[in-house]
Amino acid sequence: MTEDADPEANLREWKEAMQAEHDDAIENPVPDERHRIEGVAQVSYRVYFEYDEERDALSRTRREQVEDLSDPELLSCACGVRGMTPEEARRHVRAARNARDAE
């Protein structure tokens, strides 16, 4: 079986190439871009409804927060780098500031 016909090898090569590209984007940010770290967090609520038989409708009667807000595990930068761990995000911002200061 040739390397081109081996889907596992192709997937492994693709993953390695994507990881290298990701690492490069973290370590070599574009100095002219705006770098602001952001993340998306979700808080879960339990929502209660009451059924109105005359209108055949559900009306929300109350909600209850069931978990606290926590920091997201993956972060992004406004410049377009996505899927960073908190450590990668710190490295990215440090690299961006160093690149800006070097100009």
Side-chain angles (χ1 to χ4, degrees):
M1 185 180 283
T2 66
E3 185 74 3
D4 291 335
D6 182 2
E8 300 251 345
N10 290 340
L11 179 59
R12 193 170 36 258
E13 288 175 17
W14 177 81
K15 284 181 178 180
E16 290 169 1
M18 291 296 102
Q19 185 63 48
E21 194 174 300
H22 180 71
D23 293 343
D24 183 60
I26 290 169
E27 296 295 333
N28 299 300
V30 178
D32 298 339
E33 290 284 335
R34 182 170 185 220
H35 298 279
R36 182 188 69 238
I37 301 301
E38 51 197 34
V40 175
Q42 193 170 1
V43 177
S44 294
Y45 289 88
R46 181 171 289 116
V47 182
Y48 298 89
F49 295 86
E50 189 172 294
Y51 176 66
D52 182 338
E53 194 172 334
E54 287 180 21
R55 295 184 309 133
D56 188 30
L58 293 172
S59 300
R60 183 167 56 178
T61 56
R62 67 184 176 100
R63 70 178 186 186
E64 169 186 313
Q65 186 174 330
V66 293
E67 64 182 34
D68 291 327
L69 179 64
S70 60
D71 288 341
E73 292 180 24
L74 292 178
L75 303 169
S76 299
C77 182
C79 74
V81 180
R82 305 274 181 252
M84 293 185 285
T85 64
E87 172 54 33
E88 289 173 330
R90 289 191 302 271
R91 281 192 355 242
H92 180 69
V93 172
R94 281 194 306 266
R97 289 188 178 162
N98 289 341
R100 185 188 64 220
D101 292 345
E103 289 187 331

